[in-house]
Amino acid sequence: ISTERIVRGRVIVSLDYGEVRYLRMARTVFGRASYWTGVYLVDGLLVDSGPPNLAREVARLCRELPVRQCVTTHHHEDHSGNHRLLAERLGIRPLAHALGVAPIAAPEPLPLYRRLTGGAPRAADTDPLGERLETPTHRFEVLHTPGHAPDHVALFEPDRGWLFSGDLYLAPRLKYLRTDEDVHAMIDSLRRVIALEPRLLFCQHRGRVDDATAALRRKLDFLVELGERVDDLRARGLDESAIARALPWSDLVWRVWTGGQFSKRNFVRAFLRPRA
């Protein structure tokens, strides 16, 4: 079941996946969605709180649906941007990995493109997550899955085979990487969650992904093969810039829009960087 509404330059799509509801949200520019993200609600648990520039939609969600607690997949503003709102409106103190508590309490100054796409979050207090998270009918394993961010976590519900993956998955093939991402840690995290053999994956930006294990394995294979290609090109004497140019896809739009904070050259740097 899917419903969609457009209100004041924002589009909100509500998707019902049985026990799981997905609220997919974006600002619109000339009537078109500019940057999709979303939150999940399962058994009263809100997985992330969305970007601050969609606070009205999150506030409406809190009024209309039984939100009782909130968990943070990672501290980035499009995932934790309305934590302060949850505290003020519902008295909910969100949970986050211990490494995410400080950056949520004191958000970093954001570059212009991030302020435009997500908005600047207000400081919010969180409590550190444990190894388990329970709702009235579900028990989730909290998996530390760094790579995209040091504090990134995923939630695994073993009885249902659900994996709430935050930004661990995103797509089977990536065309660019953030400057601060650790591709080696990302590969390790993918291997750990694949070993659990999840059946359904719930991605914050893409929605439900069926056959989750196969989808995650495709991303892992892509990253491993890309790393081997980067190493091979470096062994032939190419520098970072030449290796990036040799990768057979364009990152021009995102590289220009983000001032280089997203680029395929970041992939090259990440693979050539020594493992932590």
Side-chain angles (χ1 to χ4, degrees):
I1 300 172
S2 174
T3 60
E4 179 176 328
R5 61 187 175 190
I6 299 177
V7 181
R8 298 176 183 174
R10 300 167 176 85
V11 58
I12 308 98
V13 181
S14 177
L15 294 160
D16 189 349
Y17 298 138
E19 297 176 78
V20 179
R21 179 171 291 195
Y22 178 42
L23 275 296
R24 192 169 185 243
M25 303 174 284
R27 295 291 297 269
T28 59
V29 178
F30 301 115
R32 300 190 61 171
S34 59
Y35 176 74
W36 285 106
T37 187
V39 301
Y40 289 96
L41 182 65
V42 52
D43 201 22
L45 174 66
L46 191 65
V47 183
D48 289 337
S49 65
N53 64 7
L54 290 165
R56 290 179 181 173
E57 284 61 48
V58 175
R60 185 179 298 111
L61 167 70
C62 293
R63 289 196 303 269
E64 296 175 354
L65 299 173
V67 179
R68 292 186 292 270
Q69 55 182 328
C70 177
V71 63
T72 317
T73 61
H74 58 296
H75 72 276
H76 293 163
E77 69 279 356
D78 53 335
H79 297 260
S80 67
N82 294 300
H83 280 10
R84 179 79 167 269
L85 180 149
L86 293 176
E88 293 175 347
R89 298 291 180 88
L90 299 179
I92 290 175
R93 190 179 177 102
L95 301 168
H97 188 274
L99 294 175
V101 171
I104 295 172
E108 63 181 352
L110 300 180
L112 177 61
Y113 80 93
R114 288 173 65 180
R115 295 200 304 272
L116 291 174
T117 55
R122 294 187 295 161
D125 293 327
T126 56
D127 287 330
L129 274 163
E131 296 181 353
R132 300 282 188 276
L133 178 58
E134 294 188 6
T135 68
T137 58
H138 298 293
R139 187 176 186 183
F140 296 92
E141 297 177 12
V142 178
L143 312 171
H144 186 207
T145 50
H148 177 71
D151 63 312
H152 195 286
V153 299
L155 302 179
F156 180 59
E157 211 283 12
D159 292 338
R160 299 291 197 277
W162 295 338
L163 183 74
F164 290 87
S165 60
D167 282 357
L168 176 62
Y169 174 66
L170 292 178
R173 298 172 64 87
L174 302 179
K175 294 184 177 181
Y176 36 75
L177 204 70
R178 283 172 57 123
T179 54
D180 56 355
E181 289 184 276
D182 183 338
V183 73
H184 298 299
M186 190 182 298
I187 287 172
D188 290 343
S189 293
L190 285 166
R191 285 179 171 143
R192 287 199 302 276
V193 297
I194 287 170
L196 298 172
E197 299 184 346
R199 296 189 292 275
L200 283 178
L201 184 151
F202 296 99
C203 174
Q204 244 57 13
H205 297 277
R206 295 180 68 89
R208 187 182 72 183
V209 178
D210 296 327
D211 201 357
T213 299
L216 291 162
R217 188 171 286 117
R218 283 193 292 271
K219 178 169 184 177
L220 174 62
D221 291 345
F222 167 76
L223 291 176
V224 170
E225 291 168 7
L226 179 59
E228 292 171 349
R229 181 169 190 169
V230 168
D231 288 342
D232 178 64
L233 292 171
R234 186 56 179 263
R236 297 182 192 181
L238 276 67
D239 62 14
E240 287 181 0
S241 180
I243 295 171
R245 289 195 301 271
L247 300 181
W249 60 82
S250 175
D251 63 350
L252 179 62
V253 173
W254 271 84
R255 178 162 44 86
V256 172
W257 166 240
T258 67
Q261 290 201 358
F262 280 84
S263 73
K264 59 182 179 179
R265 187 168 181 175
N266 290 336
F267 255 134
V268 177
R269 290 172 175 155
F271 277 118
L272 297 179
R273 191 179 301 133
R275 293 180 66 96

